[in-house]
Amino acid sequence: MASSPKPRRSRGGCWTCRRRHKKCDEVRPICLRCQHGDFQCEGYGVRLTWSEGDAPRDVQQGVAVRPFRRRRRMNRLPAQDGTEARLGGTGPSGAPSGSDVGAHLDEHEMYLLCSQYQDDMRQTSQRSMQREVEERLLKDFSTSGYLTLTGRSGPDNLFSSEIIPLCETRPALRHAFVAYQAGLEDDCQSVTASYLQLALSEYSLELQQPERLQEDATLATGILLCSVSINSSYIWTPLLRGLYYVLQSRRLLEHTRRDRLTQHLLEVVGLLDLPHFTLNRLNKPLHIWDQFVAPYKSAGVEESTGLPYSLLNILADIALPDTEDRLLAWPGEVAQDLIQIHLWEAYRTAAILHSRMLKIGSGKWEWQGDTTQQPCAKPGLSNSILLMKAFASVQAICDSKKDAYARPLASAVLYPLFIASICTHENTKERSIAKDLFHAFRHQWERLENQLEWEFVLEIWERSRCHTRTTPLDLATQFARELNIEVHLY
């Protein structure tokens, strides 16, 4: 039987669908795909393009902190048996084995990390990396850009008082700051990859110098490299082995008494390493939080996330069978602001949905029918109830409209909003609420204009029509794998 001719690819789609690499229905003047996805349809008109150096300075690129990237070529290392190798061996507990710890970042990992920057670096001109541009970006980061990492200012802020001054003598840390700030500014995003690769090369050299391993600046540099990579949708988890190597070299994992800055840096590394919170994770978790933080921290609020230690200790083991019971029994903490209570409740309810998806696994999820029934749902506590609780908490945060909370809350709320949204069913009240909340956050807070999470939500909803027995989390992981990116969920 003769096969039907392959349909020709349309070249007449709107500019928004072209930029998103989506099939456009070409309805004019505004395509239906943009309308349904709540995107601004940029129309079908002819656009002029400029060669490098000719583009006007006031042309805005419309991409923010975490740009939605095109598919990259897969860079996997072939194992001896012909299968794809995962970087970094691990011991029985998940931590690096002895030989791997000494290796920190080997040449294969460096190739994997650096090769993903090449396409973006081709767009960088030497003029854009002038000294005055670098100085301005560094100044902007030191005065305001760092707040997108911590959300806190004032004399007690560890980042501004202890970490930023270290860049005066550490080029790797300085260039990591510049790379991060470049990713925040529309007119400088083209240099992010160049400064990121420069910082990574300098950081790799620092890992080979024993005296550098003893300094807080080396830990801070590794953490900043992870943050820049996360914000720019690059592969980043191989960097965690280098950070683990620094922690072991300083024997920080053997002693429980640490100064405030060192303790904070250790906790941030542990948060980056939390299992099941990174889609398409390349390296296995090192279990830093549950081994070296949770046993000694059970009260108070963690500084960088704004979440209670007691809640983070449960999230660190979210795949355990009793996670839902522990989350339901969690008593909470005393908060300094009502918004904190809403944030914690949003995380708690979203984490229950998250744990259910991990517990069910692929092949048993029910996309069709009533959202209230799932195989592992507790009697009387349906997914619908959890969804409405999570959305109610997110709505309360959105309604607060506090400028002081805008950026940190926009980042923090992404996890519960994403998890709850992907669990909604088509043509339900929950799905409509999810659309409204994403719309509200994207228009209220600049942090969400990049639309990465919203792109994932839309893709999962579309795929769920065909993969009715696959969990939303697995669909999200498959999409991240196809894009060859790692997506940090909070």
Side-chain angles (χ1 to χ4, degrees):
M1 183 176 180
S3 59
S4 59
K6 184 177 181 180
R8 297 180 61 183
R9 183 176 180 181
S10 171
R11 301 291 181 180
C14 75
W15 287 103
T16 303
C17 289
R18 290 188 189 187
R19 174 169 52 80
R20 296 176 58 224
H21 303 287
K22 298 294 184 180
K23 182 179 179 181
C24 182
D25 50 56
E26 301 184 30
V27 174
R28 297 171 185 263
I30 300 175
C31 80
L32 296 178
R33 189 175 195 110
C34 287
Q35 290 186 54
H36 294 160
D38 195 25
F39 290 96
Q40 181 179 357
C41 186
E42 299 171 14
Y44 304 85
V46 177
R47 288 186 175 180
L48 299 178
T49 59
W50 288 267
S51 60
E52 184 178 347
D54 296 330
R57 290 184 179 271
D58 59 349
V59 173
Q60 298 297 314
Q61 296 299 322
V63 183
V65 179
R66 294 177 66 176
F68 187 71
R69 299 191 164 298
R70 61 184 179 277
R71 285 174 171 80
R72 300 193 190 97
R73 65 182 183 276
M74 299 292 286
N75 291 313
R76 296 289 188 267
L77 301 178
Q80 293 182 355
D81 59 358
T83 61
E84 289 181 352
R86 307 284 282 188
L87 294 177
T90 57
S93 65
S97 58
S99 60
D100 288 323
V101 171
H104 39 86
L105 285 175
D106 59 33
E107 59 182 14
H108 298 296
E109 289 175 320
M110 284 294 293
Y111 168 77
L112 175 67
L113 292 170
C114 291
S115 62
Q116 62 186 333
Y117 311 142
Q118 297 308 309
D119 290 340
D120 295 333
M121 289 177 61
R122 293 190 185 101
Q123 305 173 16
T124 304
S125 65
Q126 285 299 114
R127 291 185 306 169
S128 60
M129 293 186 66
Q130 292 178 347
R131 185 70 177 181
E132 56 267 24
V133 176
E134 181 178 320
E135 292 293 340
R136 180 183 65 79
L137 289 171
L138 183 62
K139 181 179 179 181
D140 290 346
F141 178 86
S142 302
T143 55
S144 60
Y146 76 93
L147 291 174
T148 65
L149 285 168
T150 65
R152 294 166 175 79
S153 59
D156 293 333
N157 183 276
L158 278 174
F159 206 99
S160 60
S161 63
E162 302 288 342
I163 297 177
I164 290 179
L166 297 175
C167 75
E168 296 178 2
T169 57
R170 302 300 289 274
L173 186 59
R174 174 191 178 93
H175 291 137
F177 288 164
V178 173
Y180 187 90
Q181 185 63 32
L184 297 179
E185 302 185 10
D186 290 340
D187 59 343
C188 291
Q189 286 182 6
S190 61
V191 303
T192 301
S194 297
Y195 278 110
L196 184 56
Q197 185 176 48
L198 183 59
L200 178 61
S201 299
E202 294 164 338
Y203 174 65
S204 180
L205 293 176
E206 289 181 355
L207 292 181
Q208 301 174 35
Q209 304 175 41
E211 66 277 8
R212 294 294 194 191
L213 295 176
Q214 305 305 312
E215 301 176 8
D216 289 332
T218 304
L219 265 181
T221 301
I223 292 171
L224 256 293
L225 287 173
C226 290
S227 298
V228 178
S229 300
I230 289 170
N231 287 344
S232 298
S233 301
Y234 288 123
I235 298 292
W236 61 276
T237 55
L239 292 166
L240 290 175
R241 283 214 306 140
L243 287 167
Y244 189 92
Y245 176 63
V246 174
L247 293 172
Q248 278 213 329
S249 298
R250 295 180 59 177
R251 298 192 174 186
L252 295 177
L253 304 179
E254 302 175 12
H255 307 290
T256 58
R257 299 187 62 179
R258 313 176 186 94
D259 61 69
R260 185 186 174 200
L261 176 59
T262 304
Q263 177 65 34
H264 175 66
L265 294 175
L266 171 63
E267 291 175 7
V268 173
V269 177
L271 290 169
L272 290 169
D273 178 56
L274 286 186
H276 307 293
F277 281 84
T278 300
L279 301 176
N280 188 37
R281 178 166 179 157
L282 187 64
N283 278 22
K284 293 181 179 180
L286 306 175
H287 301 283
I288 293 174
W289 185 275
D290 55 11
Q291 292 188 52
F292 307 109
V293 179
Y296 313 103
K297 290 276 190 175
S298 58
V301 177
E302 197 278 324
E303 182 174 348
S304 61
T305 62
L307 298 177
Y309 286 102
S310 55
L311 180 58
L312 286 169
N313 293 345
I314 301 175
L315 299 183
D317 292 323
I318 196 169
L320 293 180
D322 64 341
T323 294
E324 181 169 341
D325 292 332
R326 295 171 66 196
L327 287 168
L328 291 172
W330 182 64
E333 291 271 355
V334 177
Q336 297 180 346
D337 194 290
L338 290 177
I339 299 300
Q340 285 182 300
I341 299 295
H342 292 303
L343 179 65
W344 301 346
E345 183 62 17
Y347 264 79
R348 186 175 75 95
T349 52
I352 294 175
L353 292 167
H354 191 167
S355 67
R356 286 184 179 181
M357 286 188 282
L358 293 172
K359 189 174 181 180
I360 292 173
S362 292
K364 298 181 180 179
W365 185 261
E366 292 288 349
W367 276 103
Q368 305 298 329
D370 187 1
T371 315
T372 62
Q373 297 302 322
Q374 290 296 343
C376 65
K378 293 287 182 182
L381 188 62
S382 66
N383 280 8
S384 287
I385 294 176
L386 291 172
L387 287 173
M388 296 305 286
K389 283 177 172 287
F391 287 144
S393 298
V394 172
Q395 182 69 62
I397 295 170
C398 187
D399 291 342
S400 68
K401 298 180 181 178
K402 288 191 174 183
D403 293 337
Y405 281 98
R407 275 194 174 277
L409 278 181
S411 299
V413 164
L414 280 176
Y415 168 73
L417 182 55
F418 175 81
I419 291 294
S421 296
I422 64 176
C423 289
T424 61
H425 288 192
E426 194 171 14
N427 299 323
T428 60
K429 180 186 294 186
E430 294 88 353
R431 177 69 58 88
S432 298
I433 294 174
K435 291 180 180 179
D436 291 342
L437 284 173
F438 259 106
H439 177 83
F441 270 76
R442 286 164 52 212
H443 285 76
Q444 180 175 338
W445 289 334
E446 181 184 355
R447 171 65 178 80
L448 294 184
E449 287 181 358
N450 60 84
Q451 302 174 347
L452 173 65
E453 289 79 10
W454 181 236
E455 290 274 5
F456 263 74
V457 170
L458 290 176
E459 186 68 25
I460 294 166
W461 288 349
E462 189 171 325
R463 295 186 180 204
S464 66
R465 297 171 180 171
C466 301
H467 304 278
T468 59
R469 305 289 288 177
T470 305
T471 68
L473 203 59
D474 286 337
L475 292 177
T477 300
Q478 292 169 11
F479 187 40
R481 186 177 298 117
E482 292 171 12
L483 295 173
N484 197 26
I485 62 177
E486 293 176 318
V487 181
H488 202 46
L489 292 180
Y490 70 93

